Coordinates of all heavy atoms in Angstrom, one line a residue:
G1123 N -14.2 36.5 51.2 CA -15.4 36.6 52.1 C -15.4 35.9 53.4 O -16.3 35.9 54.1
L1124 N -14.3 35.1 53.7 CA -14.3 34.4 55.0 C -14.1 35.4 56.1 O -13.4 36.4 56.1 CB -13.1 33.4 55.0 CG -13.2 32.2 54.1 CD1 -12.0 31.3 54.3 CD2 -14.4 31.4 54.5
G1125 N -14.8 35.1 57.2 CA -14.7 35.9 58.4 C -13.4 35.6 59.2 O -12.8 34.5 59.0
L1126 N -13.0 36.5 60.0 CA -11.7 36.3 60.7 C -11.7 35.1 61.6 O -10.7 34.3 61.6 CB -11.4 37.5 61.6 CG -11.1 38.8 60.8 CD1 -10.8 40.0 61.8 CD2 -10.0 38.7 59.8
D1127 N -12.8 34.7 62.3 CA -12.8 33.5 63.1 C -12.7 32.3 62.2 O -11.9 31.3 62.6 CB -14.2 33.4 63.8 CG -14.3 34.5 64.9 OD1 -13.2 35.0 65.3 OD2 -15.4 34.7 65.4
R1128 N -13.3 32.3 61.0 CA -13.2 31.2 60.1 C -11.8 31.1 59.6 O -11.3 29.9 59.4 CB -14.2 31.3 59.0 CG -14.3 30.1 58.1 CD -14.8 28.9 58.8 NE -15.0 27.8 58.0 CZ -14.8 26.5 58.3 NH1 -14.4 26.2 59.5 NH2 -15.1 25.5 57.4
I1129 N -11.2 32.2 59.3 CA -9.8 32.2 58.7 C -8.9 31.6 59.8 O -8.0 30.8 59.4 CB -9.4 33.6 58.4 CG1 -10.2 34.1 57.2 CG2 -7.9 33.7 58.1 CD1 -9.9 35.6 56.8
Q1130 N -9.0 32.0 61.0 CA -8.2 31.4 62.1 C -8.3 29.9 62.2 O -7.3 29.2 62.4 CB -8.4 32.1 63.4 CG -7.4 31.8 64.5 CD -7.2 32.9 65.5 OE1 -8.0 33.8 65.6 NE2 -6.1 32.8 66.2
A1131 N -9.6 29.5 62.1 CA -9.8 28.0 62.2 C -9.1 27.3 61.0 O -8.5 26.2 61.2 CB -11.3 27.7 62.2
V1132 N -9.2 27.9 59.8 CA -8.6 27.3 58.7 C -7.1 27.2 58.8 O -6.5 26.2 58.4 CB -9.0 28.0 57.4 CG1 -8.2 27.6 56.2 CG2 -10.5 27.8 57.1
L1133 N -6.5 28.3 59.3 CA -5.1 28.3 59.4 C -4.5 27.5 60.5 O -3.4 26.9 60.4 CB -4.6 29.8 59.6 CG -4.9 30.7 58.4 CD1 -4.4 32.1 58.7 CD2 -4.2 30.2 57.1
D1134 N -5.2 27.4 61.7 CA -4.6 26.8 62.9 C -5.2 25.4 63.2 O -4.6 24.7 64.0 CB -4.9 27.8 64.1 CG -4.2 29.1 63.9 OD1 -3.2 29.2 63.1 OD2 -4.6 30.1 64.5
D1135 N -6.3 25.1 62.7 CA -6.9 23.8 63.1 C -6.5 22.7 62.0 O -6.9 22.8 60.9 CB -8.4 23.9 63.1 CG -9.1 22.6 63.6 OD1 -8.4 21.6 63.8 OD2 -10.4 22.6 63.8
S1136 N -5.7 21.8 62.4 CA -5.2 20.8 61.5 C -6.3 19.9 61.0 O -6.2 19.2 59.9 CB -4.1 19.9 62.2 OG -4.6 19.3 63.3
T1137 N -7.4 19.9 61.7 CA -8.5 19.0 61.3 C -9.6 19.8 60.4 O -10.6 19.2 60.0 CB -9.3 18.4 62.5 OG1 -9.9 19.5 63.2 CG2 -8.3 17.7 63.4
A1138 N -9.3 21.0 60.2 CA -10.3 21.9 59.5 C -10.4 21.4 58.0 O -9.4 21.0 57.4 CB -9.9 23.3 59.5
D1139 N -11.6 21.4 57.5 CA -11.8 21.0 56.1 C -11.7 22.2 55.2 O -12.6 22.9 54.9 CB -13.2 20.4 56.0 CG -13.6 20.0 54.6 OD1 -12.7 19.9 53.7 OD2 -14.8 19.7 54.3
V1140 N -10.4 22.5 54.9 CA -10.1 23.7 54.1 C -10.8 23.6 52.7 O -11.5 24.6 52.3 CB -8.6 23.9 53.9 CG1 -8.3 25.1 53.0 CG2 -8.0 24.0 55.3
P1141 N -10.7 22.5 51.9 CA -11.4 22.5 50.7 C -12.9 22.7 50.8 O -13.6 23.4 50.0 CB -11.1 21.1 50.1 CG -9.8 20.8 50.7 CD -9.9 21.3 52.1
G1142 N -13.5 22.1 51.9 CA -15.0 22.3 52.1 C -15.3 23.7 52.4 O -16.3 24.2 51.9
A1143 N -14.5 24.4 53.2 CA -14.7 25.8 53.6 C -14.7 26.6 52.3 O -15.5 27.5 52.1 CB -13.7 26.2 54.6
L1144 N -13.7 26.3 51.5 CA -13.5 27.1 50.3 C -14.6 26.9 49.3 O -15.1 27.8 48.6 CB -12.2 26.8 49.6 CG -10.9 27.2 50.5 CD1 -9.6 26.9 49.7 CD2 -10.9 28.7 50.8
R1145 N -15.1 25.6 49.2 CA -16.2 25.3 48.3 C -17.5 26.1 48.8 O -18.3 26.6 47.9 CB -16.5 23.8 48.3 CG -15.5 23.0 47.5 CD -15.9 21.6 47.3 NE -14.9 20.8 46.6 CZ -14.0 20.1 47.3 NH1 -14.1 19.9 48.6 NH2 -13.1 19.4 46.6
A1146 N -17.7 26.1 50.1 CA -18.9 26.8 50.6 C -18.8 28.3 50.3 O -19.8 28.9 49.9 CB -19.0 26.6 52.1
Q1147 N -17.6 28.8 50.4 CA -17.4 30.2 50.1 C -17.6 30.5 48.7 O -18.1 31.5 48.3 CB -16.0 30.7 50.6 CG -15.9 32.2 50.7 CD -16.9 32.8 51.7 OE1 -17.3 32.2 52.6 NE2 -17.3 34.0 51.4
R1148 N -17.1 29.6 47.8 CA -17.3 29.7 46.4 C -18.8 29.8 46.0 O -19.2 30.6 45.2 CB -16.6 28.6 45.6 CG -16.7 28.7 44.1 CD -16.1 27.5 43.4 NE -16.7 26.3 43.8 CZ -16.3 25.0 43.5 NH1 -15.1 24.9 42.8 NH2 -16.9 24.0 43.8
T1149 N -19.6 29.0 46.7 CA -21.0 29.0 46.4 C -21.6 30.4 46.8 O -22.4 30.9 46.1 CB -21.7 27.9 47.3 OG1 -21.2 26.6 46.8 CG2 -23.3 28.0 47.1
Q1150 N -21.2 30.9 48.0 CA -21.7 32.2 48.4 C -21.2 33.3 47.4 O -22.0 34.2 47.1 CB -21.2 32.5 49.8 CG -21.7 31.6 50.9 CD -21.3 32.0 52.2 OE1 -20.9 33.2 52.5 NE2 -21.3 31.0 53.1
V1151 N -20.0 33.2 46.9 CA -19.5 34.2 46.0 C -20.3 34.1 44.7 O -20.6 35.1 44.1 CB -18.0 33.9 45.7 CG1 -17.5 34.8 44.5 CG2 -17.1 34.3 46.9
A1152 N -20.6 32.9 44.2 CA -21.4 32.7 43.0 C -22.8 33.4 43.2 O -23.3 34.0 42.2 CB -21.5 31.3 42.6
E1153 N -23.4 33.2 44.3 CA -24.7 33.8 44.6 C -24.6 35.3 44.6 O -25.4 36.0 44.1 CB -25.2 33.2 45.9 CG -25.6 31.8 45.9 CD -25.9 31.2 47.3 OE1 -25.7 32.0 48.3 OE2 -26.4 30.1 47.4
R1154 N -23.5 35.8 45.2 CA -23.3 37.2 45.3 C -23.1 37.8 43.9 O -23.6 38.9 43.5 CB -22.1 37.6 46.1 CG -21.9 39.1 46.5 CD -20.7 39.3 47.3 NE -20.7 38.4 48.4 CZ -19.5 37.9 49.0 NH1 -18.4 38.2 48.4 NH2 -19.6 37.0 50.0
I1155 N -22.3 37.1 43.0 CA -22.1 37.5 41.6 C -23.5 37.6 40.9 O -23.7 38.5 40.2 CB -21.2 36.6 40.9 CG1 -19.7 36.8 41.5 CG2 -21.2 36.8 39.4 CD1 -18.7 35.8 41.0
E1156 N -24.3 36.6 41.1 CA -25.6 36.5 40.4 C -26.5 37.7 40.9 O -27.1 38.4 40.1 CB -26.4 35.2 40.8 CG -27.7 35.1 40.0 CD -28.4 33.8 40.3 OE1 -27.8 33.0 41.1 OE2 -29.5 33.6 39.8
R1157 N -26.4 38.1 42.2 CA -27.2 39.2 42.7 C -26.7 40.5 42.1 O -27.4 41.4 41.7 CB -27.1 39.3 44.2 CG -27.9 38.2 44.9 CD -28.1 38.5 46.4 NE -26.9 38.6 47.1 CZ -26.3 37.6 47.7 NH1 -26.8 36.3 47.6 NH2 -25.2 37.7 48.3
L1158 N -25.4 40.6 42.0 CA -24.8 41.8 41.4 C -25.1 41.9 39.9 O -25.3 43.0 39.4 CB -23.2 41.8 41.6 CG -22.8 42.0 43.1 CD1 -21.3 41.8 43.2 CD2 -23.2 43.4 43.6
Q1159 N -25.1 40.8 39.2 CA -25.5 40.8 37.8 C -26.9 41.3 37.6 O -27.3 42.0 36.7 CB -25.3 39.4 37.2 CG -23.8 39.1 37.0 CD -23.6 37.7 36.5 OE1 -24.5 36.8 36.7 NE2 -22.5 37.4 35.9
Q1160 N -27.8 40.8 38.5 CA -29.2 41.2 38.5 C -29.3 42.7 38.8 O -30.1 43.4 38.1 CB -30.0 40.4 39.5 CG -30.2 39.0 39.1 CD -30.8 38.2 40.2 OE1 -31.0 38.6 41.4 NE2 -31.2 36.9 39.9
L1161 N -28.5 43.2 39.8 CA -28.5 44.6 40.1 C -28.0 45.4 38.9 O -28.6 46.5 38.6 CB -27.6 44.9 41.3 CG -27.4 46.3 41.7 CD1 -28.8 47.0 42.1 CD2 -26.5 46.4 42.9
S1162 N -27.0 44.9 38.2 CA -26.4 45.6 37.1 C -27.5 45.7 36.0 O -27.6 46.8 35.3 CB -25.2 44.9 36.6 OG -24.6 45.5 35.4
A1163 N -28.2 44.6 35.7 CA -29.2 44.6 34.7 C -30.3 45.6 35.1 O -30.8 46.3 34.2 CB -29.8 43.2 34.5
G1164 N -30.7 45.6 36.4 CA -31.7 46.6 36.8 C -31.3 48.0 36.6 O -32.0 48.9 36.2
L1165 N -30.0 48.3 36.9 CA -29.5 49.6 36.7 C -29.5 50.0 35.2 O -29.8 51.2 34.8 CB -28.1 49.8 37.3 CG -28.0 49.7 38.8 CD1 -26.5 49.6 39.2 CD2 -28.6 51.0 39.4
D1166 N -29.1 49.0 34.4 CA -29.1 49.3 32.9 C -30.6 49.7 32.5 O -30.7 50.6 31.7 CB -28.7 48.1 32.1 CG -27.2 47.9 32.3 OD1 -26.5 48.8 32.6 OD2 -26.7 46.8 32.0
R1167 N -31.6 48.9 33.0 CA -32.9 49.2 32.6 C -33.3 50.6 33.1 O -34.0 51.4 32.4 CB -33.9 48.2 33.2 CG -33.9 46.9 32.4 CD -34.9 45.9 32.9 NE -36.3 46.4 32.8 CZ -37.0 46.4 31.7 NH1 -36.5 45.8 30.6 NH2 -38.2 46.8 31.6
M1168 N -32.9 51.0 34.3 CA -33.3 52.2 34.9 C -32.6 53.4 34.1 O -33.3 54.4 33.8 CB -32.8 52.3 36.4 CG -33.2 53.6 37.1 SD -35.0 53.5 37.5 CE -35.0 52.3 38.8
I1169 N -31.4 53.2 33.7 CA -30.7 54.2 32.9 C -31.4 54.4 31.5 O -31.7 55.5 31.1 CB -29.2 53.9 32.7 CG1 -28.5 54.0 34.0 CG2 -28.6 54.8 31.6 CD1 -27.1 53.4 33.9
E1170 N -31.8 53.3 30.9 CA -32.4 53.3 29.6 C -33.8 53.9 29.7 O -34.3 54.7 28.9 CB -32.5 51.9 29.1 CG -33.0 51.8 27.6 CD -33.0 50.4 27.0 OE1 -32.8 49.5 27.8 OE2 -33.3 50.3 25.8
A1171 N -34.5 53.6 30.9 CA -35.9 54.2 31.1 C -35.8 55.7 31.2 O -36.6 56.4 30.7 CB -36.5 53.5 32.3
H1172 N -34.8 56.2 31.9 CA -34.6 57.6 32.1 C -34.3 58.3 30.7 O -34.7 59.4 30.5 CB -33.5 57.9 33.1 CG -33.9 58.0 34.5 ND1 -34.4 59.1 35.1 CD2 -34.0 57.0 35.4 CE1 -34.7 58.8 36.4 NE2 -34.5 57.5 36.6
E1173 N -33.6 57.6 29.9 CA -33.2 58.1 28.6 C -34.3 58.0 27.5 O -34.4 58.8 26.6 CB -31.9 57.5 28.1 CG -30.7 57.8 29.0 CD -29.5 57.1 28.5 OE1 -29.6 56.1 27.8 OE2 -28.4 57.5 29.0
R1174 N -35.1 56.9 27.6 CA -36.1 56.6 26.5 C -37.5 56.7 27.0 O -38.4 57.0 26.2 CB -35.9 55.2 26.0 CG -34.6 55.0 25.2 CD -34.5 53.5 24.8 NE -35.7 53.0 24.2 CZ -36.0 51.7 24.1 NH1 -35.1 50.8 24.5 NH2 -37.1 51.3 23.6
G1175 N -37.8 56.5 28.3 CA -39.1 56.6 28.8 C -39.8 55.2 28.7 O -40.3 54.7 29.7
L1176 N -39.9 54.6 27.5 CA -40.5 53.3 27.3 C -39.5 52.3 26.9 O -38.7 52.5 25.9 CB -41.6 53.4 26.3 CG -43.0 54.0 26.7 CD1 -43.9 54.2 25.4 CD2 -43.7 53.1 27.7
L1177 N -39.5 51.2 27.6 CA -38.6 50.1 27.2 C -39.3 49.0 26.4 O -39.4 47.9 26.7 CB -38.0 49.5 28.4 CG -37.2 50.4 29.4 CD1 -36.6 49.6 30.5 CD2 -36.2 51.3 28.6
L1178 N -40.0 49.5 25.3 CA -40.8 48.7 24.4 C -40.3 48.9 23.0 O -39.9 50.1 22.6 CB -42.3 49.0 24.5 CG -42.9 48.8 25.9 CD1 -44.4 49.4 25.8 CD2 -42.9 47.4 26.3
T1179 N -40.4 47.9 22.2 CA -40.1 48.1 20.8 C -41.2 48.9 20.1 O -42.3 49.0 20.7 CB -39.9 46.7 20.0 OG1 -41.2 46.1 20.1 CG2 -38.9 45.9 20.7
V1180 N -40.9 49.4 18.9 CA -42.0 50.1 18.2 C -43.2 49.2 17.9 O -44.3 49.7 18.0 CB -41.4 50.7 16.9 CG1 -42.5 51.3 16.0 CG2 -40.3 51.7 17.1

Side-chain angles (χ1 to χ4, degrees):
L1124 288 180
L1126 295 183
D1127 291 342
R1128 187 62 174 149
I1129 292 173
Q1130 188 148 17
V1132 168
L1133 294 178
D1134 297 338
D1135 185 354
S1136 60
T1137 65
D1139 180 11
V1140 177
L1144 295 178
R1145 288 191 185 96
Q1147 194 61 30
R1148 181 181 61 188
T1149 299
Q1150 294 182 26
V1151 169
E1153 292 172 350
R1154 192 180 312 147
I1155 289 172
E1156 183 178 359
R1157 289 195 299 271
L1158 290 173
Q1159 288 174 336
Q1160 292 172 351
L1161 176 60
S1162 177
L1165 289 171
D1166 287 342
R1167 284 186 61 84
M1168 187 72 75
I1169 292 169
E1170 190 176 6
H1172 275 272
E1173 293 177 344
R1174 291 178 47 198
L1176 280 174
L1177 304 186
L1178 299 173
T1179 65
V1180 173

